[in-house]
Amino acid sequence: MAEIKLRKLPERTPVKMTLQLLPELAEALQEYAAAYEASYGRAEPVAELIPAMLASFLESDREFQKTRRPR
């Protein structure tokens, strides 16, 4: 079969994790969700924002990115 442009899609099955947060962090996340709503005019639950926040943090950490294997 000929090679196609689109690479094989990565695993996309969500992995559920349970976290315990200090009250101050939980409050800050609620405040962030309110700031998100004020900025974009759309409310999103904190649970929906956290994965995007973590992905953004990891993508922006240059030293961490250097340690990762190429995909």
Side-chain angles (χ1 to χ4, degrees):
M1 178 179 236
E3 292 276 329
I4 62 173
K5 284 266 193 199
L6 182 64
R7 291 183 284 164
K8 184 178 178 182
L9 296 176
E11 177 64 43
R12 296 178 314 279
T13 304
V15 176
K16 184 173 182 163
M17 299 182 116
T18 303
L19 303 172
Q20 291 184 350
L21 306 174
L22 294 174
E24 296 83 14
L25 179 55
E27 184 179 340
L29 288 169
Q30 291 295 336
E31 292 170 3
Y32 193 91
Y36 181 94
E37 182 178 6
S39 293
Y40 297 110
R42 179 181 171 144
E44 294 287 350
V46 170
E48 294 292 323
L49 296 175
I50 290 173
M53 294 167 76
L54 289 172
S56 177
F57 173 81
L58 293 174
E59 289 169 10
S60 69
D61 188 327
R62 292 183 187 269
E63 290 302 313
F64 173 68
Q65 290 302 324
K66 289 179 188 177
T67 67
R68 296 190 78 197
R69 291 179 279 147
R71 291 182 184 227

